[in-house]
Amino acid sequence: IAFGIAGSGVQTINVGAAGLPNITQALIIDGWTQPGYTTTPLIELNGGNLGTSINGLSLRAGSDGSTVRGLVINRFDASGIYLNGSGNHTIQGNWIGLDATGTLASANLRKGVLALNSSGNLIGGTNRAQGNVVSGNAEQGIHFVDVDDSTISGNHVGTDKTGTVDVNGTTFNGLQSGLAITAGSSGNLVGGTTAGARNIISGNNHYGFELDDAGTRNNRVQGN
């Protein structure tokens, strides 16, 4: 999916009450294609009109290898991006839980990115344009639940787009850990050995990083 919406600046797509369909085949949703894009996402998905417990983008079984990049994803009643039962996804260059300026909270009311029963995912990257800004959400910014062999790198979690200003503040009272890896997740990497791979995890109202539950093992946290 490429974008060519007429007009300058941010273009907002107000998602209808039924939400978006589940993604069940490999798909690239590429906000970087919107004319005028440089480093600031210009396509905003606004979930403020939805009913309860509806995620923004749901990548489900059979959708191996999908890519979501260059979007602002906010105001959904559940999680901004939900990976469930599928893997090898790439999530890059998105602002999740922020407004279109990248400076103010515009919360998804669960997680920013929730991955469940998945493997082989890349959240961010070593190039600054590839890193996501995941802040202002009511629960964890990025949460892996039974996720294996995935990488979280180059992201700002809990801050604005610059990585220097606390976005979460005291606006919400949820479980606002920055990152959480739980429930038997193994072999994941958070950060890395190069400057570009580091995550900035700051300003969250609960743990910065949470590693928990029996069977969670062989995960590495480096250089953040």
Side-chain angles (χ1 to χ4, degrees):
I1 296 177
F3 295 87
I5 300 174
S8 61
V10 175
Q11 306 298 317
T12 299
I13 298 171
N14 295 307
V15 180
L20 297 167
N22 292 328
I23 298 168
T24 57
Q25 298 178 3
L27 177 67
I28 298 173
I29 303 176
D30 191 358
W32 293 350
T33 59
Q34 173 64 14
Y37 171 83
T38 54
T39 59
T40 298
L42 296 177
I43 301 296
E44 179 183 25
L45 297 183
N46 172 14
N49 298 322
L50 274 69
T52 59
S53 301
I54 297 177
N55 298 295
L57 294 174
S58 294
L59 282 59
R60 293 183 178 262
S63 55
D64 286 325
S66 289
T67 297
V68 177
R69 62 190 180 205
L71 304 178
V72 180
I73 302 173
N74 57 33
R75 289 174 275 189
F76 287 89
D77 188 73
S79 297
I81 296 179
Y82 181 41
L83 316 179
N84 185 355
S86 59
N88 301 313
H89 302 301
T90 300
I91 310 298
Q92 292 182 326
N94 304 287
W95 294 353
I96 304 171
L98 294 160
D99 71 351
T101 71
T103 61
L104 299 173
S106 190
N108 298 295
L109 297 184
R110 294 291 301 276
K111 330 282 184 175
V113 178
L114 172 60
L116 173 65
N117 187 25
S118 183
S119 65
N121 304 296
L122 173 60
I123 313 297
T126 57
N127 183 304
R128 180 78 283 274
Q130 296 172 334
N132 304 282
V133 185
V134 188
S135 302
N137 300 286
E139 295 184 3
Q140 293 91 343
I142 301 172
H143 191 178
F144 282 0
V145 181
D146 192 17
V147 172
D148 301 328
D149 303 320
S150 295
T151 298
I152 301 171
S153 65
N155 304 287
H156 293 169
V157 183
T159 74
D160 72 343
K161 62 183 179 180
T162 70
T164 63
V165 178
D166 174 3
V167 166
N168 284 312
T170 57
T171 306
F172 306 106
N173 295 311
L175 298 175
Q176 282 184 280
S177 297
L179 305 178
I181 294 180
T182 65
S185 299
S186 66
N188 299 293
L189 172 63
V190 178
T193 58
T194 66
R198 72 173 185 169
N199 300 284
I200 297 176
I201 307 166
S202 184
N204 301 284
N205 289 339
H206 203 50
Y207 305 115
F209 175 72
E210 178 183 0
L211 187 66
D212 201 6
D213 296 333
T216 300
R217 63 196 183 280
N218 298 329
N219 299 288
R220 288 176 293 156
V221 182
Q222 295 179 310
N224 303 289

